Amino acid sequence: MTTTLLQPGEIEAAAGDIPELRLPPADLFLTRAHRLDQLAEGHTLGDYLRFVARLARAQQAALDAGPAGEPPAADRLAQCREYQMPPLAPAGLGLPAGWRDTARHLAQAVKSGLPAPGQAVLESIPDSEDAWLDAQATRLIEGNTQDLDAAIAPVIGAALQVHWTHLARQLHPGHVARPEHPNLCPVCGSHPVSSVVRIGGAANGLRYLYCVLCSSEWHVVRAKCSNCDNTRGIAYYHLEGKERIVQAESCPACQTYLKVVQQEKDPLADPVADDLATLTLDLLMDEAGFARSGINWYLIHGLT
């Protein structure tokens, strides 16, 4: 089914009151794990959602342990802000020290309970050479699926998320300018996973894009394509018989879509977990001729 939103920005707050950037909270991976376990009940992808929940818990433990890495110096942050550059862009930082150790630890932490083939796949991560792991991480960050091992990519991505989330948590919103390209994260320049309409506080009713890498969120007005800024003919698709917690926002101009997760429909809804649990909606949007503009590293179908 599809509905059309007729009044762009109808519930947006006054411009001066909008929190433009939301940096990641300390417990985000644990919260995600709880949501994944909840979504797994009775779901056709239940086993995989539970696996990702274990991975998210391992990410939380790694984040709590304080991974290596410091944000750029004050003068570099000021320069990035002046020129509207994302301060944590991978091209400028390079791969963080210790990220491979994190990937190997995550692989060991989640392989138990998997079928033998799955365990064998994850065992390849501790056994792999550093250069190969670095190459896999670079391809994932760049969205280059050529020679990317999709089976281990969720763990590679999870390790990178731990380190970049750690870095983002050390920033202050004042360190970060509005992005030159609004469809990319102003903190690290990565693509969004999905968008989320938040509830509560100053962010109530506002839509934020959610970064696949550093877990930051940035405000983008509703009823506007997050990929090309078009505001005409935006339509919303949802799965029949669902509560419309997750909708696919489609754009006729660029023929792309990005999911919108509605927390007002379920306060526990998570922009990553609920995106992952609505794979059927992705398949329907593909059949309708729309390409996905966001990516979810927990399932590599989202790479574009």
Side-chain angles (χ1 to χ4, degrees), residues 81-92:
R81 178 172 175 78
E82 179 181 358
Y83 293 101
Q84 294 182 286
M85 298 163 53
L88 301 184

Side-chain angles (χ1 to χ4, degrees), residues 85-258:
M85 298 163 53
L88 301 184
L93 292 182
L95 295 174
W99 91 266
R100 297 185 219 97
D101 291 337
T102 301
R104 288 167 173 144
H105 173 75
L106 293 179
Q108 294 287 359
V110 300
K111 73 176 185 179
S112 62
L114 288 177
Q119 293 193 31
V121 167
L122 294 189
E123 284 171 0
S124 69
I125 295 178
D127 295 338
S128 296
E129 295 182 356
D130 289 353
W132 186 82
L133 290 175
D134 286 348
Q136 291 292 304
T138 300
R139 291 187 182 102
L140 188 59
I141 288 172
E142 295 176 351
N144 177 10
T145 58
Q146 186 174 3
D147 298 322
L148 179 67
D149 188 333
I152 68 163
V155 175
I156 298 294
L160 296 172
Q161 287 169 346
V162 167
H163 283 263
W164 257 275
T165 298
H166 171 70
L167 291 172
R169 282 187 42 73
Q170 298 177 69
L171 298 179
H172 182 277
H175 293 150
V176 183
R178 286 289 295 169
E180 181 180 0
H181 304 288
N183 61 322
L184 299 178
C185 175
V187 176
C188 70
S190 300
H191 286 276
V193 177
S194 66
S195 66
V196 56
V197 177
R198 290 289 182 188
I199 58 172
N204 188 62
L206 301 180
R207 178 174 74 157
Y208 291 85
L209 301 188
Y210 192 96
C211 180
V212 69
L213 177 58
C214 73
S215 308
S216 298
E217 303 177 33
W218 65 105
H219 175 250
V220 174
V221 298
R222 297 166 67 171
K224 176 181 181 179
C225 177
S226 59
N227 187 55
C228 74
D229 291 343
N230 170 54
T231 59
R232 301 174 68 88
I234 302 297
Y236 292 79
Y237 294 78
H238 63 273
L239 296 175
E240 196 73 64
K242 300 295 182 181
E243 298 88 350
R244 303 191 190 184
I245 297 170
V246 179
Q247 296 175 303
E249 181 183 74
S250 67
C251 174
C254 65
Q255 287 293 297
T256 68
Y257 75 95
L258 191 72

Side-chain angles (χ1 to χ4, degrees), residues 46-56 110-111 114 122 154-155 298:
D47 288 344
Y48 190 72
L49 294 176
R50 281 184 281 269
F51 162 74
V52 178
R54 294 198 301 274
L55 181 56
V110 300
K111 73 176 185 179
L114 288 177
L122 294 189
V155 175
Y298 286 140

Side-chain angles (χ1 to χ4, degrees), residues 6 12 63 80 103 109 128 150 155 161 204 233 246-247 261 289 297 303:
L6 299 177
E12 303 299 352
L63 182 65
C80 288
S128 296
V155 175
Q161 287 169 346
N204 188 62
V246 179
Q247 296 175 303
V261 178
W297 285 352
L303 280 171

